[in-house]
Amino acid sequence: MSFLGDTIEYMFDRSAMVRDQGQLSLVEVATLINTLESVAVRLAVERTADGSRVLRMEVTGPVEVGDFDATTWDYGAFVFLSFVTAGDAVCAWINDHSVGINDLSAALAVGEQASWERLPSRADRDRPALPWPQVLQARFSPAGGMTQQPTSRPRLLVAPGAPTFPSYEVASEAFFHGLHSLSSPQAYGDALSIRILDRRARLTRLLFSSIGVDVHTDGSDVAGCRVELTSGTDHHEATVGAEGVAHLALPGGRPDEWWVVLSRGTDWLDYRYNTLYGRGPTPDVEIVADAVEPADELAALMSGGEGLTTEFKRQLPDNRDSRRKVARTVAAFANGIGGVILFGVDRDEFTLVGVDGQFPALRDQLNTFVTELLIPRPDVDIQPYQVEDKLVIGLHVKQGENLLYGIEPADPHYYIRRSGSTVPARPEDVASLIASRSLSTSASPWQGLPGLFQ
């Protein structure tokens, strides 16, 4: 919080910031704004016979040159203004309950208390979305808690050098939110909005491939920040380098649902997320074509070592016992979230040793024993990775759509992954798998499980 000086540290203790929301007074907001060297202001003012009054006011800071353009739409009865000024000037307006700019003086009547919250950059509730996170956003209602309604109703708002609108409400939506409509929206309830930006660090670009994501950031204090990606099945993290980029390998492939968080210590700085329920990422999230070099893909698959979704083998299985061991892992991957077995990698030395033979013949060999030993046959994809003179083969196993996968059709046995090992499925493991998968299938819970309870 030091980027805003000691004032915020004095007003907000750490427990309040952990909640990322709270209550504050108009006096406290004025004190915060007073610490900012420059802020952007947007105003909607109504002129009446009894004087002028502020209908809406929005203050955003700290800002830099070029962040906001100065604009004036003067329709006589209403005037819309945007400009950059010093924070102490705005503090004085709030304390005096009056805004004074050049020859314009307007009464500012807002409530004394408001809720505040902390928001990431490009928050979808902001219109337009701000490119920086907000360490504080507060919205004050008009004095008395009523919606601020204009008293005059011109037929059209027309002025030289300004767009024409059918009403104040439509003009206000265009000026403050960039939304142009031919119908009058519902009157906006906030008289004063305060948005304090956090320029320490932000996410600027997330570039996903099939095997990883490059996270681009910038800000005044971004090097050394932590980046985390959490999905429904995995968690990865990395540190932002001096150039503001962190790379996260995704050995299990690009997840459908994910959450990327940028943080330092106990303080989150920015985040993005993607869900399956219509809530998607911002335009700075990109997915690139999956034209990945084999060496890069193999490096990503090996980066985390053996684990829940990865296993290494020096050579392909060459006898029944070794085939059964590989089949157990294939079944365990299918019973879990999928995974890959890499043949031609030394699990102890963590080095490439390659396999002997030609890929087409070796692929057919793997396909044959997967078909013969597993019940039902899981969906697999067998890929070659040629790195210099060494051939590594990846047996990619997709998460199964059936209730359970086992080996030895005549006398089925079932397996699961536990950390980096394949272990026999216990009765409670089997029950858990059946319960979780029967929710998403129309098949009988016991269909396709021969010998399980014999």
Side-chain angles (χ1 to χ4, degrees), residues 110-128:
V110 299
E112 293 296 325
Q113 292 285 329
S115 298
W116 67 268
E117 61 180 329
R118 191 174 183 184
L119 296 175
S121 62
R122 300 181 180 272
D124 55 9
R125 70 186 66 182
D126 269 342
R127 297 178 298 175

Side-chain angles (χ1 to χ4, degrees), residues 4-305:
L4 287 179
D6 295 334
T7 304
I8 287 184
E9 291 288 359
Y10 171 76
M11 293 177 55
F12 298 114
D13 61 29
R14 294 306 302 174
S15 62
M17 289 311 300
V18 168
R19 292 197 304 270
D20 295 329
Q21 58 186 5
Q23 295 284 324
L24 79 173
S25 70
L26 190 62
V27 172
E28 289 172 321
V29 160
T31 305
L32 289 176
I33 295 172
N34 192 57
T35 67
L36 305 182
E37 183 175 342
S38 59
V39 296
V41 178
R42 291 194 287 188
L43 282 173
V45 174
E46 181 182 24
R47 297 186 179 104
T48 68
D50 298 327
S52 298
R53 62 175 183 143
V54 175
L55 294 177
R56 288 180 66 178
M57 178 172 166
E58 181 184 273
V59 181
T60 303
V63 297
E64 297 176 352
V65 175
D67 281 349
F68 287 83
D69 294 328
T71 304
T72 300
W73 296 348
D74 193 341
Y75 301 100
F78 302 101
V79 58
F80 297 88
L81 300 167
S82 68
F83 51 90
V84 174
T85 189
D88 57 3
V90 176
C91 174
W93 297 341
I94 293 174
N95 290 331
D96 295 342
H97 302 285
S98 177
V99 174
I101 312 153
N102 298 328
D103 60 347
L104 177 67
S105 179
L108 176 66
V110 299
E112 293 296 325
Q113 292 285 329
S115 298
W116 67 268
E117 61 180 329
R118 191 174 183 184
L119 296 175
S121 62
R122 300 181 180 272
D124 55 9
R125 70 186 66 182
D126 269 342
R127 297 178 298 175
L130 291 179
W132 288 96
Q134 297 173 58
V135 74
L136 179 146
Q137 182 184 96
R139 300 184 185 276
F140 289 83
S141 298
M146 302 299 291
T147 299
Q148 194 87 303
Q149 296 281 3
T151 56
S152 58
R153 295 287 178 181
R155 183 180 297 272
L156 292 176
L157 271 62
V158 184
T164 298
F165 297 100
S167 68
Y168 160 78
E169 288 82 5
V170 175
S172 181
E173 283 293 285
F175 188 78
F176 286 92
H177 294 158
L179 301 177
H180 295 263
S181 173
L182 295 179
S183 59
S184 294
Q186 185 175 0
Y188 201 75
D190 297 331
L192 174 63
S193 298
I194 307 296
R195 307 188 297 180
I196 297 182
L197 306 181
D198 187 347
R199 290 181 175 270
R200 289 175 296 172
R202 63 174 174 173
L203 298 169
T204 59
R205 189 184 186 206
L206 275 64
L207 193 60
F208 281 87
S209 71
S210 62
I211 59 171
V213 54
D214 288 325
V215 180
H216 295 253
T217 66
D218 72 3
S220 62
D221 188 26
V222 72
C225 287
R226 181 172 66 157
V227 173
E228 300 171 82
L229 183 146
T230 303
S231 67
T233 58
D234 218 343
H235 176 86
H236 306 277
E237 63 178 73
T239 300
V240 178
E243 295 182 354
V245 181
H247 177 77
L248 297 171
L250 303 174
R254 183 175 58 245
D256 293 325
E257 293 187 285
W258 50 263
W259 186 27
V260 171
V261 179
L262 178 68
S263 65
R264 184 183 292 280
T266 60
D267 195 13
W268 72 262
L269 302 170
D270 206 358
Y271 63 80
R272 297 284 186 275
Y273 63 92
N274 188 59
T275 75
L276 299 179
Y277 303 101
R279 301 297 297 275
T282 53
D284 53 7
V285 176
E286 304 175 39
I287 296 176
V288 299
D290 292 339
V292 182
E293 291 295 326
D296 294 336
E297 183 173 357
L298 181 60
L301 293 172
M302 293 176 58
S303 64

Side-chain angles (χ1 to χ4, degrees), residues 359-422:
F359 173 69
L362 298 177
R363 178 190 57 202
D364 293 344
Q365 179 182 331
L366 286 172
N367 265 320
T368 297
F369 89 75
V370 167
T371 301
E372 290 178 349
L373 290 180
L374 282 107
I375 177 171
R377 187 187 192 281
D379 190 359
V380 301
D381 181 31
I382 303 172
Q383 293 291 332
Y385 300 100
Q386 189 74 47
V387 180
E388 296 179 351
D389 60 341
K390 295 181 175 64
L391 172 63
V392 175
I393 295 179
L395 175 58
H396 297 261
V397 184
K398 296 183 180 179
Q399 181 178 7
E401 296 182 355
N402 288 66
L403 292 177
L404 209 59
Y405 292 79
I407 71 167
E408 299 288 6
D411 183 21
H413 294 75
Y414 300 90
Y415 297 86
I416 61 171
R417 290 289 283 184
R418 192 165 282 134
S419 298
S421 301
T422 296

